[in-house]
Every structure is written in C-alpha cells, then in structure tokens.
C-alpha cells in the first residue's frame, strides 16, 4: 500500500495525522495515485480510511495548496482540484470529524502559521488578525463576482452570478421604471429596467452585490435600453446559467474607487476580463465564446450521458476566470470583523476551472472594497 | 485571432448587396373575408363591389384577382359607401360624419386605391348645434346625383345638404330645410312636430331634378330641385327604407312595424294618405322592422320585392333573414350572421325599361352570399374569393408549395364533385370588373386549414384570390352526440315562413374533440394525415371515385405503463364500425388513437416509408400504416409532471381556468355579432380585471408590474409535450451508413433520435415488402437551456436541408449530398443549434433569446431566390418571434441576415397562426376570417396587379393633398405596417432596434399604450382556437396590463429621479 514514485508522473505524499482523544498523534503515509484518473472522492476517502486503517471513523480531509493554504477536500470537485495542484507532491491532512478544527481551513493557514501542528493543537495561538470563520463548505464553488472593474465607469458594477442546479434560486425581480440621463439635449428621462425585489435567501440577495432599485444596464453584454421588460426577463432567463448583469447601483457610495492601489484580485480582474470579454461589451462577440458551461448532453446508445463537445475545438480557453470578491457590510480596508461576515460558499473547484481561486485577497491591504 | 472574432459580420458590402437582392419584406394581400364589415357598395358600370369595415378599411373587389385596399386615417366605422358610377371613385361616410373621396389611380399600368379628398362637416356656430335642423353633424343618408358630381346629404335634423363631389365643398344656399318641405304638407300633419331625421334619399333614374325624400316620421316627398317645390307628398307611417321603381311611377316604403307599402306616384296634386298596397308579410303578430327594401321589375311583367328583416318578433325575432318575393314565390333566406347590406345586380341604363335583376348579393357580418336570380330556385353562386375562412374556427394551417399538376387536378375535381353546381359557377359570378394583370402563378400553392368542426379545407393560395378547392370532413368517421339534433331541427321547422338556410358560416362546433390540430400532406402520393383534439390520427388517401369501406382502427398507449397517472380529460372519440360510404376525395384508411386521448401536438408523414409519427403531451408514437401496426411508443412525461395527466378540463391552477373562461365569454360575444369596439374594449378590460383579481386579490393596485428572474427548471409543467417530429434519411449511428431516422423534440428541450429499419422496397415497386419496421433509440440530446424544441431539420453535406420524401427520387429536387458530413439543426424557443452527425458535436449556434430577449414561435427553412440573378438562391431559416418580428438566418452558419417587424406582439393568435411557405412567403390570421400574406423574399411576391377601365376627366382641380401613397404599407385591421430597413443585426443593439426612427411611422401607430385599436383586434383575434398557449395569453395580458402600470411607475420614478438630481 505504501508506495513511492512507482508511476512516472504521479508522485504523492500522503501526510496524514490522526488525533485520538486529546492526545496528539500523527501518522504519516505516502502513496501514489494516477494523476490523470483521480477517480471519485468517495473512492479516495475509502482509500484514506483503508490506508490509515480507520474504516469507521469520520474524518475531515484537507490539503495544502500552492499558497500554503489548508483547504478541505469533501467532494469530487475540490478533490480533482487538489489532485491537479499536486506539484508533484500533495500534502493531505486528515482530522477526526468530531474534533476537527474548522478554523484551520482558510487562507494562509500553512504559511503564516509555520507550524501547522502547533496551530492545530492551539488554534488561538498568536492570532494577529481576526480570522474569517468559514463554515465547512459542502459544495465548494463560486457564487458571484464583480468583474471588469477597470473598464467600467465607476458608477457601474458588473456582477456575475453562477447558477448551479436548482437548489438556490437566482431570486430577484425586475420592473420597468425611468431614469434620468445626461444627453446632448440636456437631462432626459429614459425608460429603464430596475431590480424591484430580492427574494430572501436567494442567490442575488446572498451575494449582496445587487440591491433593490439598481438599474439594469446590460445583460451578458447586451444593452437593455429599448427592450421591453419581458424581453429583458427572457434574456436573463436564457442566460441564467451564467448571468452577467451590469447595473448602476442605487446606492452609489459603495462603488469601487479606481484610483486606489489596485492589487490582488482587482489587478487580476483586469487581465482576465480583457481575455474573456470585449472592452465595450460589444454584442458582436461570437456566441461560441460565451459559455462552455452550457454544453448540451448527448446520450448515445450506451445510455451514458455526455457533454456534447464543440465541433472545432478552440485552443485558447476564453473563459473568463472567476474572481471571488466579497462584499462586506462593515469593516474597513480589508480588515474583516469575523462576526460580521456573511459569506456565501466561496472557492473554486469545478472541473472547468483552470486556476486556483485567489485566496490571498483578504490578506492584502490593497482591497477593492471601500466603504 | 482577436481581429477575426470581433469583426462585424454586416460590414461586408458584397454581402449587404446580396441581402438586398434576396430579402425584402412586404405585406402583400389579405385573403379571406374582411373582419367586421359595416358597409357595402356596388358600381354597376364597372361591376366592382366595395366593402367597408368597422376599422375604417375599404376593400374593392372585381373579377378574381382584382382587389384594392385602402385604410382611412381614423379608425372609424365606414357607415356608407357610394360609387361614382363608372369613374372608379368612391365616396365613403364614416361614423364621425366625415366624408372621404377615394379614387383608383393607375401607376405604371397597375391600379391602386388612394384617398383623394376628405371633408369634415363644418363646425362653425349655426351649424354646430346638433339638434338644430341646419346641423350637418349627423349625416344619415347620402345620395349621389348628376352622375356623381353632386351629393345630397340627409341629416338627423331633417335637412338635406348638397355637396359638390369633385371638390368636396358644401354648396351653400341650396340646403333644403325641413321648413321648406313642411310648407307643402297639410296643417294637420304638421301639428308642431318635427319631421325627424332623413331616412332615405332616392334619385330618379331618368329625371335628375327629382329626389325622393323620406323622413323618419313617415313623410315621403318627391322634391323637384329645379322648381324648388314638392311635386308629390305621401303621408305614411314610421319609415325605415324607401325604393323608387325605375319608371318613377311606383314607390315602395318599408316600416318599423314590419310592413311595407306600395304608393302610386302618378299624377295628382293632393297629399296621398293611403298607399295602394300595404302588407305585413309575416303578420299578423307583431313583427320587427323591415330595414331595407328593394323593388326590381322584370321583363315578364312581374317584379321582385327583396327586403331584410320583418320577421315575427316573438317566434323568429332572432333570425337574420332576407325575403325575396316574386309574384307568388316567397323565399325567406335564413342566414347565420347579421345582415349588413344587400344589393341586386341589374341593368341601370336609363333607356332600359326593366331592371331584370341577375343576382342578389347579401353582405353578412361573416360572409358574402350571392344568389343567382335568373336561374329557377335562385341557387347560391360560389364566390371565387371572400371565402369565410372561419366558417368554423381555424385551428391550424399548413402550406404545400409546388403542388404537382396531377394532384392539383384531382383535388379540384374532388371539390367539384362536392359542390352542387360546378360548371356554371365561374360564368355566373356577377362581379367581374377590372382585369387581373398578374401573371399566371408559376407554381401551385395549396393552403390547408384545419377547423374546429373536424374539417380540413383546401385553398388555392397560388394567387391573390384565395379560392376554396375542396373540403374534407373527418366527422363522419366518428359517433358524436349531436347527430340527431339536425334531423330533429329539420322536422320541427314549419312550412311558414319558408326558410331556406343559406351560407356556410357556422360558429358552433358539434364536438370540440373533432377539432383538427395538425395536418400533413404528401403531395406526391396524395396521402395525408389529419390529427385532432382527442388524440385521433387519421391517415387518408385521395381517391377519385366514391367507395364504401371500413377503416382499420388501432390505438397506441403513449403512457407505456407509467403508474400513478389518471387522465381526467375528455374521452376518446368512438369510431363508427363497419363499412362506411366515402365520397370521392380523401378517404380514411387508418385511424390511430392515442391513449390518453390528449390533443395531438405534432405529426409527420413519410409516404415513402409508409410511416406516420405523432406526438401528444404524453409522448410520441410511430405507426406503420402499410402493415397497420404500431412500431414505437415512447412516454416523454417527466415524473413530476402531474399537470399533463389531468387533461384539458381540469387544470391545476385556477388561474388558467379563469383565463380560459374569460376568453370564452369574449368569444361568445364575438359570435353574437352585436358589438361595438368600445364594448369589446370594456369586455377585455373586464376579463383582465377579473384575472388580476383572481391572481392576487389584494395588492394588484399597489405593486408595479415585475418579472421574476428564475431559470427554467426541469420539472416545469407540461415538459413532456412533443413539439416536433421529423423523418430524415441520414447518418445516425455511424458515418458509413445512412438510413431512415425519426427525430422528436419536446417542450423541455429533449431530442430523441431513432434509427429505423425500414425494409427496402423492391426495385421499381412502390410498396415495400411486408416486414416489420423496427426503431432503435440512437441518440438522445438534452438541451441544457431546456427550452421547447420548435423544429428539427437535417442538413446535407452542402448545408442544405434534405428534400422531402420522393422529391429527389422523382427528380423534383436536387439529390442531397449523401457523402456524409450531415448536420442536424435543432431550433428551440431560445436558441438555434447545428450539431454534426453521426458524432454529435456542436457546430454553430445562435442564442436568440439571450441576445434579443425574444422567443421563437415559428421557424421554417425557406429558399430565397435572388432578384438580380436568375439561378441564385439561398436556403435560410425564417423565424417568427413572440414579439411578432420575423428574423432570417443563414444556414448552417446561423448568421442573422435581416429582421422585420411583422405582427403586433399583442396579436397572439396572429403569431400562433403564422405559417411560412417554402419560398419565403407566409400567412397569418389578422382576424378570425382573414389571412394576411407577407413576403420575405425579394423575388417571390404575390400581390394584386390589376387595372380598371375608368372614364372620368382626370384634370379636375384638386385642392387636396395626397393622403396616402401606397396602400401596401397599411393593413386593413390597423396593424402598423412598419418595415424595418433590412439592417445588419450584428451592429450594436441599440441603434439597430430603433424602430421607426428612420422609417415613417404610420399614423395608426399611436403612442397610447392601450388604444382602442389594439383592444378590438385583440378581442377579435382571441376567438380563433389556434394553438395559443396559456403562456402566450399571460404574456399578452401582462403587456397590456403592464403598460398601465408603466405609467404609474413613471410617476413614481419621477419623484425618485428628483432626489437623485438634488444629490
């Protein structure tokens, strides 16, 4: 069972710990896996239990990513993510579930606290900054993001909502209204589309990026001016799996201040958005570019559903990379009071994503959040 | 790479030029019967007829193919129309008392109808007082004098005004006030009472100075205009109508008590108080008024008296009757809809001594009936146009292009055997004016309409006149409840009055289950399939001789032993057993009944393989009608879909029920006929209000209209509805072998593809060997956006759609490229996608809804020929959206080419009824009785081209402006004919959609959110039972409701906007 470097391109180190009772005990195991075929999380979980001979003990599995963060492995997506980041070794940590220290997961868990073991033993040790408490994410994926911060006017906000399955509704309503615009003929009243209501518990509300009376300017790069409420409704529903809404927030005091030092996520946002979207939100972008997430499913005679591939594969991935940004009710300049954060499950781990989520965001002071 | 990707498609000037040669949008002609006619006129010299409608449209008809259409600027009812005889000019009176002069003018050899002058009665003081005798405010009757140069206008106040027609100016000083007339009347008749409105004005055929004036109170005066005095005075009863016999010696007057009186107008000076004859034809019990009476004499010495109304009030007061009396012969023509007006076609030359009426034309609310008065028995003359399409409500329609001559002749002959008088019909049609200049159509087009009563009608849609060819009835195959009712009604009818049923408009359906939902015809084998509301799928074959045979019946269970479902809808129809007699024409061969008997939602026929596929809301089936055995049944129901199981009668949501009830009520009022526009409007609002109440009882007034943004989920109701079925010979399983396939698309975005094993026909043999057909599921595609699949088509290696069955083998179409490289085009309500075959991979797509916010309602692949180059043509995808816009996309690239605004988005049944032809034309219902024909092709245009021989001085001084240039931009029911320039769609979306910014806005496109116009047409369109879905109705209601709310929103936002400004 304990093999090392048998397979040419899959080298792993399974670094595992076991805590029993209050006593600290750690076991270390090293084994290898086929990197190209990591299999399912359940299989891996079973493998771990088998390797450590703890078949009936519920454990939490975590791994150290390239930034040194301890991140959980609890589903197929983040398991695959973890395997893909092995470089070439992947360090895996196992805790018993009932004694698990949830706060150990998160940003810089392994870099800042040099001694992981110490940290695990005494979680409150030497904590300089208030740490975000992230509940144990069951499904680790992005929910929403602000994109194209640098190319939009400061008064506008482009929000991307990710809709997976049907477990959580998008949860907002739009209505007709009118707004005042500056035109060559002076101020003019023009009809517009506004967000009229957020469903409590819905996706839109939980992101905090959309609010009642925000004016909807664009849907997936297409201006809504001149379109009827029903047209805009249909456009949003048709794009609901990957909805990008550009709004003019009713509350203009939370806007991104462009002149502030851009770093961290907002800097990357620039690059990524340039890749993925034309600057002017031209509707002439090729329809093929928009969504790989909406591949239709084909069931051939053998009865196995598969995604329908593109006939002409494009070499470059034009997918705009996900930016995780958080909107906070309070706190200043990146210092986040741990009790105030309403944080939706944040991370990335879907098979289509090619990069790790940028978890350093909260640590850097050049934040994009201004209050 | 980047440069490539963001290059705009429309920038290529070459392509732009080509687009202009291929595509052009025109609304060309309206087929069918004008909706809500209100006035009728006939020009005996030019032999043309004019019909005016409540929406202000004027339509002139002559010989088949000769048609002119005009539309008044105001949407006002046309109350009267009078031709200036022989001049091709028409004076119309609207119910706002304005007079309009229309003329037929020739441009480039083709005639058009244009409005030349209009006249609004002056409203200066003295004229203004509506009750005063000198007011022109309410014109009741119009009489043209002196060959049409002078018009006498009778008014409500009792005065008669005179108008110079060429200039439409009032001739002051000639006005005949009631006081002038009263001087000739005995004192005891005057007794201080007014004469009442002028009810009738009649001119003398030979002596133009004499006018017969009839006043409402009963006074009849023959007024001599030259001497300015009354020649004769008759004192009668309350007057309804007057007619002057051609010699001028006899008058006939009809009265409100149902009587008519004949007066001798010979010599004598004193006022006549007693008529020579006075009878109440349907007495002695109280009768209704005789609204109009005509007296026509014949060379044989006797005369015709033709009148409308006068029926006994109690027993037959609700009948719509015209009575024709000649000597002792009385026939009471019993019509199914209200009588608007009638006229006789007779000699009008002054030198003739007798009228010799040839024909009687009666305009009814829903149809035009012409009787031949010269043939004994006065048979009805079949009309070559103006067919009442809606004699039973249209439930579906289909177009068959390029019908082979052989099949055409067989259908025509079957139709001739149906109608009683095939031979004389063409010759005896009395309205023959004008010449049709249009070329003989290059190909025969057949329009099939399915109706609520289970009939399918075949129309000749090759030219301008939509001519009925043949009527197929499927009701005879089934036992229905109402069979005995007819015979009972016949027996109960008394001999008196001598009723005779005339006309074919019959709004009542015996059994709603008979309704035809889908029709498909194979034009090469003359086989067709008709599918109906109760899940019946009927395969028919054209036979030239009558036969008596039994129809084999099979049933297919589409539920496939799914459990927990109960069908609460209607029962299936029970077919008659045993051999049944069938007339020549399409005769049923096989009946397949779906279980549960839900309405058939899709059907397709492949005559070469002898297969028919059909789908309902539960699943789809495949039936081999040669071996008469089912091949396949597949349930498409989602397990959560309880709604589909309950049938149409008990929907879960009461909202839907109430919707239906509301519309049913509207529909009833529509059929009853007595309805004004305002009334309809209020009805609709009432329905809306009721709906709103039921939907959310409290805060409907408070909350502005809003739309919930939620993605479509898999368990939406009615997700299993099969929307389209398609047969193709293509590569499904491997790239080496092609073979028969069947495709089915559902409401939830699923596509099922089956590979079929059809035994190959022996060489030269028509019939394939008697072996079973097998179907194997080859592929199943689930569109992730889950929108309903509207259409499926397979494209060959060159990107062209596969030809129809038999088309290639009979050298009627280019053989498809069977070397591989096939692709399947799947059109959903939101996106178009092309996938390669047999390995399914996404090739191209266009996300219409994501880009435009509109949803696809109808799609068709059409061939567009170029105007510039004879043999250049492109196959494109034409698509109609829920906003009523027509888009054209290239195939298989799916690039937007052009888009036009075609139908108002409120006109949901118009959108639902749209059918495209194979050559870039289309039809949609603009009213229950009218198809508008439109053309997307720049080359293939079917429009009226005709001329009239008009004799009148063209140099008249015209002081007016041209009011309307081209009648083609307008449409009789008031649809704004906005034609968007065929602009590139790839540009930025804002400017491209600037509707009307660079095209002239037609006057009827008002800015008011809920104009009367939209309300009336919305109402009238609702009673076609096309496949209007509840969603459509919700859309529609939402939009009208929404516009009201928008106004409120505007007000609200004003306040909010101010606050923003202060900041």
């Amino acid at each position: 069972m304990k093999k090392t470097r048998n397979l040419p391109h899959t080298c792993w180190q399974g670094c595992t710990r076991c805590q029993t009772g209050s006593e600290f005990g750690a076991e270390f195991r090293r084994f290898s896996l086929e990197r190209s075929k990591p299999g399912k999380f359940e299989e891996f979980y079973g493998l771990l239990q088998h390797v450590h001979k703890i078949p009936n003990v519920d454990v939490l599995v975590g791994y150290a990513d390239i930034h040194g963060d301890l991140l959980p492995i609890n589903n197929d997506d983040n398991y695959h993510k973890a395997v893909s980041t092995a470089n070439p070794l992947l360090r895996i940590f196992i805790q018993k579930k009932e004694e698990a220290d949830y706060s150990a997961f998160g940003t810089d868990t392994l870099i800042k606290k040099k001694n992981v073991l110490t940290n695990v033993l005494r979680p409150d040790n030497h904590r300089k900054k208030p740490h975000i408490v992230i509940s144990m994410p069951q499904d680790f994926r992005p929910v929403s993001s602000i994109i194209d911060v640098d190319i939009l006017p400061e008064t506008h906000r482009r929000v991307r909502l990710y809709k997976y399955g049907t477990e959580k509704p998008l949860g907002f309503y739009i209505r007709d209204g009118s707004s005042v615009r500056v035109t060559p003929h002076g101020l003019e009243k023009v009809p517009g589309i506004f967000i009229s209501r957020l469903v409590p518990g819905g996706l839109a509300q939980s992101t905090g990026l959309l609010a009642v009376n925000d004016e909807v300017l664009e849907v997936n790069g297409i201006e809504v001016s001149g379109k009827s409420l029903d047209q805009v409704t249909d456009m949003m529903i048709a794009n609901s799996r990957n909805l990008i809404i550009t709004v003019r927030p009713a509350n203009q005091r939370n806007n991104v201040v462009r002149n502030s030092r851009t770093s961290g996520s907002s800097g990357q946002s620039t690059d990524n958005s340039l890749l993925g979207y034309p600057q002017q939100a031209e509707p002439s972008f090729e329809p093929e570019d928009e969504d790989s997430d909406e591949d239709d499913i084909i069931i051939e005679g053998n009865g196995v559903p598969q995604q329908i591939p593109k006939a002409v594969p494009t070499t470059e991935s034009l997918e705009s990379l996900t930016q995780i940004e958080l909107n906070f009710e309070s706190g200043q300049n990146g210092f986040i009071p741990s009790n105030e954060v309403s944080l939706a499950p944040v991370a990335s781990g879907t098979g289509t994503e090619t990069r790790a989520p940028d978890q350093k965001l909260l640590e850097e002071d050049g934040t994009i959040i201004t209050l | 790479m980047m440069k490539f990707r963001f290059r705009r498609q429309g920038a290529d000037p070459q392509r732009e030029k080509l687009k202009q040669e291929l595509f052009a949008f025109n609304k060309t002609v309206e087929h069918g019967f004008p909706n809500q006619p209100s006035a009728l006129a006939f020009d005996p010299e030019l032999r043309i007829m004019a019909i005016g409608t409540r929406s202000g449209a004027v339509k002139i008809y002559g010989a088949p193919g000769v048609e002119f259409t005009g539309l008044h600027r105001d949407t006002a009812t046309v109350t009267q129309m009078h031709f200036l005889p022989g001049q091709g000019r028409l004076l119309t009176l609207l119910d706002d008392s304005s007079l309009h002069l229309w003329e037929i003018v020739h441009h480039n050899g083709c005639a058009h109808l244009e409005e030349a002058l209009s006249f609004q009665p002056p409203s200066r003081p003295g004229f203004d007082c509506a009750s005063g005798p000198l007011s022109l405010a309410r014109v009741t009757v119009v009489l043209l004098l002196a060959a049409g140069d002078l018009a006498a206008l009778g008014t409500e106040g009792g005065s008669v005004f005179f108008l110079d027609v060429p200039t439409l100016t009032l001739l002051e000083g000639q006005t005949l006030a009631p006081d002038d007339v009263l001087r000739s009347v005995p004192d005891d008749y005057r007794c201080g009472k007014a004469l009442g409105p002028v009810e009738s004005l009649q001119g003398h055929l030979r002596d133009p100075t004499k006018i017969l004036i009839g006043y409402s109170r009963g006074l009849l005066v023959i007024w001599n205009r030259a001497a300015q005095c009354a020649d004769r005075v008759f004192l009668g009863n309350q007057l309804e109508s007057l007619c002057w016999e051609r010699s001028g010696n006899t008058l006939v007057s009809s009265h409100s008590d149902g009587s008519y009186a004949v007066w001798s107008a010979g010599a004598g000076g004193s006022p006549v108080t007693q008529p020579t004859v006075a009878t109440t034809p349907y007495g002695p019990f109280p009768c209704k008024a005789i609204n109009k009476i005509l007296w026509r004499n014949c060379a044989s010495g006797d005369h015709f008296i033709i009148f409308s109304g006068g029926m006994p009030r109690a027993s037959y007061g609700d009948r719509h009757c015209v009575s024709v009396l000649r000597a002792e012969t009385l026939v009471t023509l019993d019509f199914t809809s209200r009588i608007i007006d009638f006229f006789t076609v007779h000699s009008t030359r002054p030198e003739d001594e007798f009228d010799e009426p040839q024909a009687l034309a009666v305009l009814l609310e829903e149809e035009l009936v012409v009787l031949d008065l010269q043939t004994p028995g006065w048979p009805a003359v079949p009309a070559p146009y103006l067919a009442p399409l809606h004699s039973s409500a249209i439930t579906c329609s289909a177009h068959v292009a390029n019908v082979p001559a052989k099949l055409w002749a067989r259908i025509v002959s079957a139709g001739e055997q149906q109608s009683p008088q095939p031979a004389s019909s063409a010759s005896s049609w009395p309205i023959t004016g004008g010449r049709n200049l249009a070329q003989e159509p290059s190909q025969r087009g057949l329009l099939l309409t399915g109706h609520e009563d289970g009939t399918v009608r075949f129309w000749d849609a090759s030219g301008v006149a939509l001519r009925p060819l043949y009527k197929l009835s499927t009701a005879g195959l089934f036992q229905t409840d109402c069979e005995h009712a007819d015979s009972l009604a016949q027996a109960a009818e008394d001999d008196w009055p001598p009723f005779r049923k005339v006309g074919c408009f019959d709004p009542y359906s015996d059994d709603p289950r008979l309704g035809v939902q889908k029709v498909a015809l194979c034009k090469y084998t003359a086989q067709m399939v008709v599918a109906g509301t109760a899940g019946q799928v009927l395969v028919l074959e054209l036979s030239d001789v009558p036969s008596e045979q039994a129809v084999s019946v099979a049933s297919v269970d589409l539920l496939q032993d799914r459990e927990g479902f109960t069908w609460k809808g209607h029962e299936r129809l029970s077919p008659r057993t045993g051999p049944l007699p069938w007339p020549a024409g399409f005769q049923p061969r096989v009946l397949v009944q779906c279980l549960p008997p839900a309405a058939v939602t899709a059907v397709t026929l492949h005559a070469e393989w002898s297969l028919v596929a059909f789908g309902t809301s539960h699943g789809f089936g495949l039936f081999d009608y040669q071996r008469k055995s089912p091949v396949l049944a597949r349930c498409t129901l989602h397990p959560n879909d309880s709604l589909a199981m309950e049938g149409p009668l008990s929907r879960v949501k009461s909202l839907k029920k109430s919707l239906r009830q509301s519309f049913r009520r509207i529909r009833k009022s529509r059929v009853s006929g007595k309805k004004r526009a305002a009334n309809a409007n209020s009805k609709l609002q009432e329905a809306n209000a009721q709906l709103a109440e039921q939907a959310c009882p409290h805060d409907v007034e408070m909350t502005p209209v809003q739309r919930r943004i939620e993605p479509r989920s898999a368990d939406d109701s009615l997700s299993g509805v099969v929307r389209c079925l398609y047969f193709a010979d293509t590569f499904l399983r491997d790239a080496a072998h092609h073979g028969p396939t069947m495709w089915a698309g559902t409401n939830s975005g699923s596509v099922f593809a089956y590979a079929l094993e059809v035994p190959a026909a022996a060489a030269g043999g028509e019939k394939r060997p008697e072996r079973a057909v097998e179907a194997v599921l080859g592929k199943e595609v689930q569109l992730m956006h889950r929108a309903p699949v509207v259409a499926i088509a397979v494209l060959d290696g060159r990107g062209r759609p596969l030809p129809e069955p038999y088309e290639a083998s009979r050298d009627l179409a280019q053989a498809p490229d069977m070397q591989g490289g096939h692709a399947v085009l799947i059109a959903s309500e939101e996106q178009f996608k092309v996938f390669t075959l047999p390995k399914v991979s996404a090739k191209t797509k266009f996300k219409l809804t994501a880009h435009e916010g509109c949803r696809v309602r109808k799609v068709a692949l059409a061939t567009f020929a170029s105007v510039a180059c004879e043999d250049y043509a492109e196959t494109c995808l034409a698509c109609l959206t829920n906003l009523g816009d027509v888009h054209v996309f290239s195939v298989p690239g799916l690039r937007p080419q052009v888009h036009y605004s075609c139908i108002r988005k409120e006109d949901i049944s118009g959108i639902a009824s749209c059918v495209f032809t194979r050559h870039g034309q289309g039809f949609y219902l603009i009213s229950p009785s009218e198809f508008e024909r439109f053309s997307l092709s720049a080359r293939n245009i079917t429009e009226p081209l005709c001329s009239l021989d008009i004799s009148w001085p063209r140099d008249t001084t015209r002081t007016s402006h041209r009011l309307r240039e081209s009648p083609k931009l307008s449409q009789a029911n008031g649809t704004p004919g906005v034609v968007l320039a065929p602009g590139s769609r790839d540009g930025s979306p804002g400017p491209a959609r600037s509707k009307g910014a660079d095209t002239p806005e037609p006057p009827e496109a008002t800015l008011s959110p809920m104009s009367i116009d939209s309300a009336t047409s919305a109402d009238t369109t609702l009673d076609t039972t096309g496949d209007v879905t509840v969603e459509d109705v919700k859309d529609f209601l939402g939009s009208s409701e929404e516009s009201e709310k928008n106004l409120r929103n505007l007000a609200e936002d004003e306040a909010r906007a101010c606050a923003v400004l202060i900041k």
Side-chain angles (χ1 to χ4, degrees), chain A residues 27-250:
Chain A
E27 294 176 42
F28 296 87
R29 297 280 187 276
R30 180 182 275 233
F31 57 95
S32 66
L33 271 182
E34 179 77 43
R35 187 202 287 264
S36 58
K37 280 187 283 182
K40 293 204 175 297
F41 171 69
E42 284 81 25
E43 298 162 20
F44 177 68
Y45 191 79
L47 177 66
L48 288 181
Q49 286 180 326
H50 179 79
V51 163
H52 291 274
K53 302 190 175 59
I54 43 168
N56 294 319
V57 182
D58 283 344
V59 292
L60 283 180
V61 186
Y63 73 100
D65 79 341
I66 48 167
H67 306 289
D69 297 342
L70 177 62
L71 298 173
I73 299 178
N74 50 14
N75 59 28
D76 287 349
D77 284 338
N78 51 22
Y79 169 57
H80 294 161
K81 182 81 204 159
V83 172
S84 69
T85 57
N87 190 21
L89 245 58
L90 182 71
R91 281 198 290 163
I92 292 183
F93 301 86
I94 298 176
Q95 286 174 276
K96 256 192 185 171
K97 203 163 227 172
E98 57 265 29
E99 296 154 13
D101 175 17
Y102 291 94
S103 65
F105 292 109
T107 48
D108 279 353
T109 31
L110 299 179
I111 289 176
K112 285 200 62 125
K113 293 100 193 177
K114 301 282 191 264
N115 189 341
V116 183
L117 303 183
T118 318
N119 179 40
V120 170
L121 279 171
R122 285 165 294 182
D124 297 325
N125 194 19
H126 305 303
R127 187 157 290 169
K128 289 196 178 84
K129 286 178 184 172
H131 202 282
I132 309 167
V133 177
I134 306 175
S135 64
M136 200 57 221
Q138 291 309 304
D139 189 14
F140 217 47
R141 56 177 178 77
V143 199
S144 65
S145 55
I146 298 183
I147 57 174
D148 297 355
V149 178
D150 50 320
I151 58 167
L152 284 176
E154 285 175 12
T155 53
H156 296 182
R157 178 188 296 165
R158 187 167 288 168
V159 178
R160 184 170 190 172
L161 299 176
Y162 302 82
K163 176 86 185 93
Y164 287 86
T166 53
E167 69 271 21
K168 201 166 196 183
L170 281 171
F172 65 101
Y173 289 74
I174 57 171
R175 63 168 171 88
D176 276 319
S178 67
S179 66
V180 176
R181 293 266 167 80
V182 183
T183 67
H185 317 291
L187 287 180
E188 229 172 58
K189 210 164 186 199
V190 292
I193 304 288
F194 294 84
I195 293 175
S196 62
R197 192 149 79 84
L198 299 179
V199 176
L203 182 62
Q205 194 208 36
S206 67
T207 65
L209 300 180
L210 299 173
V212 173
N213 291 333
D214 286 1
E215 183 181 359
V216 178
L217 302 171
E218 290 175 359
V219 175
N220 286 51
I222 298 145
E223 282 183 50
V224 303
S225 71
K227 292 203 161 52
S228 72
L229 186 65
D230 287 324
Q231 276 177 286
V232 177
T233 306
D234 283 339
M235 286 166 66
M236 289 188 173
I237 290 171
N239 288 308
S240 61
R241 290 185 155 264
N242 179 23
L243 185 60
I244 299 166
I245 320 178
T246 308
V247 293
R248 188 210 318 268

Side-chain angles (χ1 to χ4, degrees), chain B residues 660-961:
Chain B
R660 188 167 292 116
Q661 279 163 353
S662 308
F663 289 131
R664 196 167 285 158
R665 205 173 306 131
I666 293 169
R667 184 173 167 192
K668 270 188 191 140
S669 76
R670 169 84 184 82
V671 167
S672 73
K674 287 240 177 188
K675 184 196 53 151
R676 301 287 306 206
N679 185 16
N681 196 1
S682 64
K683 275 259 163 77
L684 190 70
Q685 279 169 353
E686 178 195 290
N688 274 347
Q690 213 167 18
L691 178 76
E693 261 173 30
Q694 290 171 356
C696 60
H698 303 301
D699 47 343
V700 65
E701 285 301 305
M702 300 308 292
T703 52
V705 61
Q706 45 182 13
R707 293 281 183 274
R708 188 186 163 104
I709 309 297
E710 288 306 342
R712 199 189 301 273
S713 65
D715 51 345
D716 256 354
S717 65
L718 297 176
S719 60
V721 177
V722 176
R723 289 292 295 267
C724 59
L725 289 160
Y726 178 69
F727 284 119
D729 182 3
T730 187
F731 302 87
L732 188 64
R733 286 189 284 197
D734 59 82
H737 307 95
H738 62 88
T741 59
M742 184 191 76
W743 299 73
T746 73
N747 232 12
S748 57
S750 298
V751 176
F752 304 93
Y754 284 83
L756 308 178
E757 285 293 336
V758 181
E766 284 287 292
K767 295 278 182 187
R768 56 182 169 75
E770 291 286 323
R771 260 195 295 135
V773 177
E774 281 171 35
V776 183
L777 181 62
K779 289 189 184 352
E780 201 178 321
V781 177
Q782 175 63 55
L783 301 175
M784 286 313 279
H785 60 284
R786 296 194 181 279
V789 179
V790 180
I792 300 172
V794 171
L795 310 172
D796 73 0
R798 290 180 292 246
R800 279 192 300 256
L802 295 183
E804 286 175 37
Y806 283 122
E807 217 171 39
S809 62
R810 300 197 176 181
D811 282 339
L812 293 153
Q814 206 180 352
D817 177 7
M818 296 310 266
Q819 301 305 308
H822 281 205
V824 61
L825 166 68
I826 296 177
S828 79
E829 274 193 7
E830 297 185 354
Q831 304 182 0
F832 307 119
K833 291 190 164 180
V834 174
F835 299 102
T836 57
L837 287 177
K839 170 110 182 67
V840 175
S841 56
K843 205 170 167 190
T844 51
K845 70 178 161 187
F846 185 81
K847 300 168 102 180
L848 184 70
T849 306
H851 281 232
E852 299 288 328
C854 50
R855 283 172 305 200
V856 178
R857 284 284 175 261
K858 303 274 169 173
V859 291
L861 287 163
T863 309
F864 292 86
S866 163
V867 276
C869 175
E870 270 298 313
D871 49 2
Y872 182 77
E874 280 185 20
T875 299
C876 293
L877 182 73
C879 137
L880 177 77
T881 71
N882 65 331
L883 303 177
D885 296 344
V886 175
H887 298 245
V888 178
F889 296 88
S890 64
V891 169
L894 298 180
R895 293 275 158 224
Q897 302 295 308
V898 288
H899 66 123
Y900 309 100
S901 165
C902 180
I903 311 176
R904 284 174 306 115
K905 68 172 179 180
E906 294 85 7
D907 186 3
I908 49 171
S909 79
I911 292 171
S913 65
C914 179
V915 51
F916 288 104
T917 76
R918 289 272 298 275
H919 300 282
Q921 294 198 12
F923 301 87
Y924 67 91
L925 287 173
I926 48 174
S927 71
S929 56
E930 281 170 292
F931 271 115
E932 172 81 49
R933 188 185 195 116
F934 64 90
S935 177
L936 295 168
S937 164
R939 181 143 135 211
N940 183 13
I941 298 173
T942 305
E943 60 183 339
L945 295 172
C946 46
S947 72
L948 267 181
D949 297 322
I950 296 167
S951 57
W952 60 286
R954 301 274 320 173
D955 56 320
T956 28
T957 50
R958 255 187 259 149
T959 53
S960 84
H961 45 286

Side-chain angles (χ1 to χ4, degrees), chain B residues 384-398:
Chain B
Y385 47 77
L386 280 174
L389 297 170
H390 60 319
S391 54
S392 170
I394 294 178
T395 46
C396 67
S397 43

Side-chain angles (χ1 to χ4, degrees), chain B residues 186-219:
Chain B
D187 284 346
D188 56 332
Y189 188 80
R190 266 180 262 171
C191 64
K193 279 192 278 184
L195 291 174
V198 179
E199 277 294 337
S200 182
L201 284 173
Q202 298 289 324
H204 195 287
L205 190 67
R206 289 169 193 159
D207 185 355
T209 58
K210 286 184 179 173
I211 314 173
L212 174 61
I213 306 171
Y215 293 94
S216 174
R217 217 180 109 198
L219 179 68

